Amino acid sequence: MKLVLKTSFVLIVAGVAGVALFLIVFGWSSSRAQQQNGECSMLVLEKKIEPITTATEYHRACMASKGYGMQPSCYIDNFTGASCFIPRWMFWINKV
């Protein structure tokens, strides 16, 4: 009986630790996406890229080079906000 309780406790602790680690990595990744998005936006401004369609494509290419894919709905609607970019390691999310 004690062995079953110890095993259950270890499995529960491992599960909670795994979820906590995932949430920490997810939060860090979201923070990095905002920072990288700001850097790409500044590059567009510094290089004075126009028209807006060219600037948008440059911004998307910049984020792709930093390891971020774009959500399909943002691609269709021509958005470039930080929330539109998903890290490549999140393979289960559909990206363009």
Side-chain angles (χ1 to χ4, degrees), residues 3-95:
L3 180 63
V4 172
L5 288 174
K6 286 181 182 180
T7 305
S8 298
F9 179 73
V10 168
L11 289 174
I12 290 170
V13 169
V16 169
V19 168
L21 181 64
F22 178 77
L23 291 175
I24 288 169
V25 169
F26 186 78
W28 175 79
S29 183
S30 294
S31 174
R32 290 284 298 159
Q34 290 177 353
Q35 180 182 1
Q36 300 292 336
N37 189 54
E39 289 177 11
C40 289
S41 295
M42 289 307 295
L43 283 173
V44 168
L45 292 174
E46 287 173 1
K47 295 178 185 270
K48 299 177 184 173
I49 299 173
E50 293 198 18
I52 192 69
T53 54
T54 305
T56 301
E57 286 306 315
Y58 181 87
H59 188 97
R60 289 178 183 160
C62 178
M63 288 300 285
S65 72
K66 294 177 184 280
Y68 294 91
M70 182 175 247
Q71 293 182 16
S73 61
C74 290
Y75 187 82
I76 292 168
D77 293 334
N78 213 22
F79 296 144
T80 57
S83 61
C84 288
F85 295 98
I86 308 296
R88 285 194 187 128
W89 64 266
M90 293 182 186
F91 57 88
W92 60 90
I93 298 175
N94 189 20
K95 299 178 278 301

